């Protein structure tokens, strides 16, 4: 055992609590490809024969009994990285366990093409062609919620529509409202909705399993609204320090993900 | 008069409903209650995206209060306060409400009569969290709500009762920075707040409660 410990210390890379699977790495790449990357980032990836994933644990200051884990993944060359968490804890007040089977993205960030403190990362390499083939083949892949989630989504979105209609002076009638929602990702619990008539984006994000009743009891507190008429700027430099805006680039991606890769449903916002 | 009385009665009931049992949260129409609601609004509770732990969420509340305070009291050399807050003020509520409903703090604004206001979903979430925290023995929800109120009370009656986590930050990667945080962003897709803001890395505790905190590039004095 002592010999094994010494050997582990001599390893040229830091140990991870759990090495992300190929699927997690590739799906993280696909999530970034879908929501963040553009031509210039892919061109930088092309310059190498392989795609390098830099991975390290994120030390979390957890509560007693919380077994969650978090990991940082940077895709070399793209100048983008993501923080992912696999939740595993219990909420006493709700008598509810929150437990993920897979890592889920909770933050995306810009970074150097190669991290400066490279020694703190484990380096995982895949042939460039393998990664790009995956991104290309799945670029239009659509994964929609099952009927259980869809039923709850209709109710939750209907509630939001009623709430917003008053502020935007939109008269709701008997006719259904048209909603487009984004495709799901195995590495994210986020869902985006576009309410067509109101030019409104609704972002749903939480750590609850969407197949539980509890997730939908808390749905209201997991949503953020973006009024595309008012909360879009070309650059956040126009509104430094404010957390109320999204860039036109991000709004465009959200529209593409909702309108082209998403699903159209009709919602009757009745009481 | 009847309307006024029923309004007053409503306020009393409202105040009582949030200050009973485990929860000690002042009404939303008080300065301390309003400030506490901002801290609660920007911080994840168990089950919400960005949740890490009670220590982390308390540090988030404290750091947000420090950002607001630093935008007033610690404008760095070479910067104008209006670059950080869009207004010139010594009043924390002017900083919070600067820019209106979609201003510096999304959803917090002054209404047409100049009164502090927030969009309905802020109070809906607070009510919901209070309902969870008010049941059973005091737990994490109650602890976080009460902590927000304590921070707000202390700030408004004396000063910030916590330490600024970012006060000694002078270098991020190779960029000289001012120290202290001057901005935060909540969502995953907000990876830069623009201007001369510099992302505080994880190694300097720049990620708290699903928020990213930002300091400023150092400028010549």
């Amino acid at each position: 055992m002592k010999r094994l410990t010494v050997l582990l210390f001599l390893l040229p890379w830091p140990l991870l609590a759990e090495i992300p699977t190929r699927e997690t790495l590739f799906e993280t790449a696909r999530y970034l490809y879908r929501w963040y990357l553009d031509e210039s980032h892919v061109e930088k990836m092309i310059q190498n024969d392989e795609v390098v994933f830099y991975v390290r644990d994120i030390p979390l200051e957890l509560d007693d009994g919380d077994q969650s884990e978090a990991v940082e993944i940077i895709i070399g060359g793209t100048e983008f990285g993501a923080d992912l968490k696999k939740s595993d804890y219990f909420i006493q007040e709700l008598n509810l366990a929150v437990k993920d089977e897979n890592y889920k993205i909770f933050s995306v960030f810009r970074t150097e093409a190669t991290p400066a403190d490279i020694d703190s990362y484990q380096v995982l390499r895949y042939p460039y062609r393998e990664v790009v083939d995956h991104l290309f083949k799945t670029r239009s892949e659509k994964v929609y919620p099952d009927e259980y989630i869809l039923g709850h989504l209709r109710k939750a979105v209907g509630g939001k529509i009623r709430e917003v209609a008053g502020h935007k002076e939109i008269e709701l009638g008997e006719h259904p409202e048209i909603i487009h929602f984004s495709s799901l990702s195995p590495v994210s619990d986020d869902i985006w909705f576009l309410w067509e008539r109101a030019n409104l984006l609704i972002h749903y994000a939480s750590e609850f399993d969407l197949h539980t009743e509890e997730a939908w009891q808390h749905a209201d507190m997991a949503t953020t609204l973006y009024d595309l008429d008012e909360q879009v700027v070309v650059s956040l430099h126009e509104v430094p320090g404010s957390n109320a805006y999204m860039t036109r680039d991000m709004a465009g991606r959200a529209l593409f993900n909702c309108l082209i890769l998403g699903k159209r449903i009709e919602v009757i916002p009745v009481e | 008069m009847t309307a006024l009385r029923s309004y007053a009665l409503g306020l009393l009931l409202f105040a009582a409903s949030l200050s009973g049992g485990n929860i000690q949260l002042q009404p939303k129409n008080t300065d301390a209650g309003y400030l506490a609601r901002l801290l609660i609004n920007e911080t994840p509770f168990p089950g919400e995206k960005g949740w890490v732990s009670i220590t982390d969420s308390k540090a988030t509340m404290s750091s947000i209060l420090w950002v607001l305070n630093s935008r007033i009291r610690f404008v760095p050399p070479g910067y104008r306060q209006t670059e950080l807050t869009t207004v010139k003020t010594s009043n924390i509520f002017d900083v919070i409400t600067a820019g209106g409903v979609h201003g510096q703090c999304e959803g917090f604004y002054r209404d047409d009569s100049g009164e502090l206001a927030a969009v309905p979903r802020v109070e809906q979430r607070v009510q919901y969290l209070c309902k969870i925290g008010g049941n059973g023995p005091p737990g994490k929800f109650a602890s976080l709500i009460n902590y927000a109120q304590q921070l707000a009370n202390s700030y408004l009656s004396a000063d910030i009762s916590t330490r600024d986590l970012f006060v000694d930050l002078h270098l991020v990667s190779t960029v000289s920075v001012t120290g202290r945080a001057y901005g935060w962003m909540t969502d995953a897709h907000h990876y830069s707040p623009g201007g001369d803001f510099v992302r505080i890395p994880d190694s300097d505790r720049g990620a708290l409660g699903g928020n990213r905190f930002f300091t400023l590039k150092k400028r010549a004095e």
Side-chain angles (χ1 to χ4, degrees):
Chain A
M1 186 62 196
K2 191 184 255 181
R3 197 174 293 162
L4 179 63
T5 310
V6 171
L7 277 173
L8 290 176
F9 272 115
L10 291 175
L11 284 174
W13 57 78
L15 282 174
L16 298 170
E18 180 185 330
I19 297 174
T21 61
R22 176 187 179 280
E23 192 199 358
T24 299
L25 295 172
F26 278 42
E27 288 302 327
T28 301
R30 187 154 76 101
Y31 181 89
L32 295 179
Y33 178 83
R34 212 162 247 202
W35 285 95
Y36 294 92
L37 301 187
D38 60 28
E39 200 176 346
S40 65
H41 302 117
V42 176
E43 279 169 4
K44 283 174 193 157
M45 283 170 72
I46 291 171
Q47 292 166 11
N48 300 305
D49 295 336
E50 55 188 10
V51 175
V52 183
F53 293 90
Y54 299 94
V55 183
R56 67 178 174 187
D57 284 335
I58 301 172
L60 298 177
E61 201 175 351
L62 298 169
D63 293 333
D64 289 345
D66 190 330
Q67 302 291 314
S68 304
E69 288 169 0
V71 71
E72 176 186 323
I73 298 174
I74 292 173
I75 304 177
T78 65
E79 301 176 355
F80 272 99
D83 293 333
L84 295 88
K85 184 183 175 193
K86 189 190 275 189
S87 297
D88 185 1
Y89 60 93
F90 187 77
I91 304 176
Q92 201 73 45
E93 291 92 331
L94 300 173
N95 191 31
L96 178 69
V98 180
K99 189 171 170 63
D100 284 324
E101 293 302 318
N102 309 308
Y103 281 106
K104 301 287 174 62
I105 291 172
F106 65 90
S107 174
V108 172
F109 55 89
R110 298 293 295 265
T111 180
E112 298 100 340
T114 304
D117 47 349
I118 193 167
D119 291 344
S120 64
Y121 292 86
Q122 188 163 138
V123 179
L124 303 168
R125 300 170 189 276
Y126 288 86
Y128 168 78
R129 183 44 56 193
E130 186 181 343
V131 178
V132 169
D133 279 353
H134 173 75
L135 297 179
F136 185 77
K137 282 178 190 162
T138 61
R139 71 192 188 285
S140 298
E141 194 173 287
K142 299 158 188 172
V143 179
Y144 300 129
D146 54 33
E147 280 306 311
Y148 176 85
I149 295 178
L150 205 52
H152 279 292
L153 279 178
R154 284 179 195 277
K155 265 166 63 179
V157 172
K160 277 291 156 200
I161 287 176
R162 286 196 301 277
E163 180 188 320
V164 174
H167 306 303
K168 292 206 71 161
E169 295 177 359
I170 292 175
E171 198 169 321
L172 296 175
E174 291 173 359
H175 298 295
E177 296 295 328
I178 307 302
I179 303 292
H180 303 264
F181 64 87
S182 62
S183 175
L184 302 179
S185 161
V187 291
S188 173
D189 280 332
D190 291 16
I191 311 178
W192 288 80
F193 307 89
L194 172 69
W195 177 14
E196 201 175 274
R197 190 153 71 107
N199 284 347
L200 186 83
L201 276 173
I202 304 171
H203 179 208
Y204 174 88
S206 89
E207 292 195 341
F208 291 117
D209 179 353
L210 297 179
H211 285 98
T212 61
E213 287 296 314
E214 288 81 3
W216 299 102
Q217 286 170 20
H218 308 291
D220 204 44
M221 64 188 218
T223 52
T224 310
L225 310 179
Y226 292 96
D227 186 334
L228 294 177
D229 292 325
E230 294 182 9
Q231 288 172 269
V232 176
V233 288
V234 170
S235 164
L236 294 178
H237 288 251
E238 296 169 52
V239 284
S242 172
N243 54 19
Y245 293 86
M246 65 166 50
T247 61
R248 192 169 64 193
D249 178 61
M250 187 64 202
R253 286 167 194 270
L255 291 178
F256 187 83
N257 277 286
C258 291
L259 289 168
I260 308 300
L261 299 178
K263 188 178 178 74
R264 177 188 186 278
I265 59 170
E266 295 183 349
V267 172
I268 299 173
V270 291
E271 292 291 340
Chain B
M1 185 62 192
T2 308
L4 189 63
R5 193 179 300 136
S6 66
Y7 176 65
L9 180 63
L11 277 181
L12 270 173
L13 289 170
F14 175 70
S17 68
L18 296 186
S19 297
N22 305 327
I23 307 292
Q24 301 297 321
L25 184 63
Q26 293 185 27
K28 63 180 178 181
N29 61 342
T30 63
D31 285 353
Y34 188 82
L35 181 54
R37 277 163 176 77
L38 174 79
L39 302 179
I40 292 167
N41 186 62
E42 299 292 323
T43 302
F45 279 58
E48 292 185 304
K49 191 168 182 176
W51 167 258
V52 175
S53 66
I54 199 152
T55 307
D56 186 79
S57 278
K58 285 182 176 177
T60 307
M61 290 180 183
S62 163
S63 296
I64 286 168
L65 188 56
W66 267 108
V67 167
L68 300 170
N69 182 57
S70 295
R71 287 179 179 182
I72 297 169
R73 293 196 206 164
F74 300 105
V75 176
Y79 284 85
R80 297 184 309 277
Q81 190 189 25
T82 49
E83 291 178 86
L84 310 178
T85 66
T86 72
V87 292
K88 189 166 170 45
T89 183
S90 59
N91 181 334
I92 192 168
F93 297 104
D94 290 343
V95 174
I96 292 169
T97 59
V101 68
H102 300 311
Q104 291 290 300
C105 298
E106 165 66 7
F108 289 78
Y109 63 103
R110 286 187 191 275
D111 63 20
D112 292 343
S113 58
E115 295 297 316
L116 296 171
V119 294
R121 66 177 178 276
V122 170
E123 193 57 27
Q124 285 164 12
R125 178 170 173 268
V126 166
Q127 295 274 0
Y128 183 76
L129 296 173
C130 286
K131 189 177 150 199
I132 295 172
N135 292 329
K140 291 175 185 173
F141 285 74
S143 173
L144 288 172
I145 292 164
N146 293 341
Y147 185 74
Q149 190 62 72
Q150 287 163 19
L151 279 179
N153 292 347
S154 171
Y155 181 78
L156 295 173
S157 63
D159 206 340
I160 298 188
S161 51
T162 55
R163 182 178 165 274
D164 184 348
L165 292 177
F166 309 118
V167 64
D168 295 325
L169 188 63
H170 298 301
L171 200 64
V172 172
S173 191
T174 56
V175 179
S176 290
V177 295
T178 59
R180 305 187 186 277
Y182 289 90
W184 77 92
M185 308 212 86
T186 48
D187 262 353
H189 58 278
H190 280 130
Y191 46 77
S192 168
D196 278 346
F197 285 95
V198 177
R199 177 181 186 267
I200 301 177
D202 293 354
S203 53
D204 290 308
R205 298 197 67 185
L208 290 169
N211 292 281
R212 175 62 60 180
F213 285 83
F214 296 84
T215 185
L216 289 164
K217 269 183 203 164
K218 198 163 192 172
R219 286 181 182 169
E221 293 184 28

